[in-house]
Amino acid sequence: MTGIAAIKMPLPADADYVAELARLRAMTPETFAISYSGDWGATASLLAGGAAWYSVVAGLLPEPALRLTRAAQAGRRDEAEAMDAAFAPLWALFKAHGSMRLMYAIADRLALSVGDPPLPLMRAPAPAVAAVHAALDRLGV
């Protein structure tokens, strides 16, 4: 694995990050970084020892994403899980409607001019946008 220092993993189907990280670490150098994408798995993967969180939401909501990340990396389980609970409505919406298309609704809420998503992506329907706004209110955004 010359020149490769990290890997971005999808969320494990069984959510057993501990077992997956142990299996992957047995095959990689000690300095190799194993991290996950899938925002709704961030807390569990970081608490299990994942090196980082490859986030969609952190691009537009860096403060709450960083609070979640730092709490999990420091092993402050209660704080990390509380942040995850605050994000839970948004995670559910990401799963139901696709995180990328909902990022456009978040950008609109933040008054950021980003235009329309590239085809074939479409903006989320009005009820999903209203739910995104409620989820952002819960996060204090």
Side-chain angles (χ1 to χ4, degrees), residues 52-80:
W53 162 26
Y54 294 107
S55 173
V56 171
V57 80
L60 293 180
L61 303 176
E63 291 87 7
L66 185 60
R67 283 195 307 272
L68 185 156
T69 301
R70 294 294 184 243
Q73 288 176 329
R76 297 189 308 267
R77 180 174 293 277
D78 290 347
E79 184 181 342

Side-chain angles (χ1 to χ4, degrees), residues 67-100:
R67 283 195 307 272
L68 185 156
T69 301
R70 294 294 184 243
Q73 288 176 329
R76 297 189 308 267
R77 180 174 293 277
D78 290 347
E79 184 181 342
E81 289 176 349
M83 284 302 303
D84 190 54
F87 269 113
L90 194 57
W91 300 158
L93 290 164
F94 279 12
K95 290 181 203 176
H97 300 281
S99 57
M100 189 60 177

Side-chain angles (χ1 to χ4, degrees), residues 6-63:
I7 189 168
K8 173 184 170 185
M9 296 294 296
L11 300 178
D14 61 3
D16 189 352
Y17 298 96
V18 174
E20 183 170 86
L21 284 164
R23 181 180 60 78
L24 292 170
R25 286 195 177 115
M27 298 184 289
T28 57
E30 193 173 311
T31 58
F32 193 81
I34 303 166
S35 304
Y36 290 87
S37 62
D39 289 50
W40 50 90
T43 302
S45 67
L46 290 168
L47 286 170
W53 162 26
Y54 294 107
S55 173
V56 171
V57 80
L60 293 180
L61 303 176
E63 291 87 7

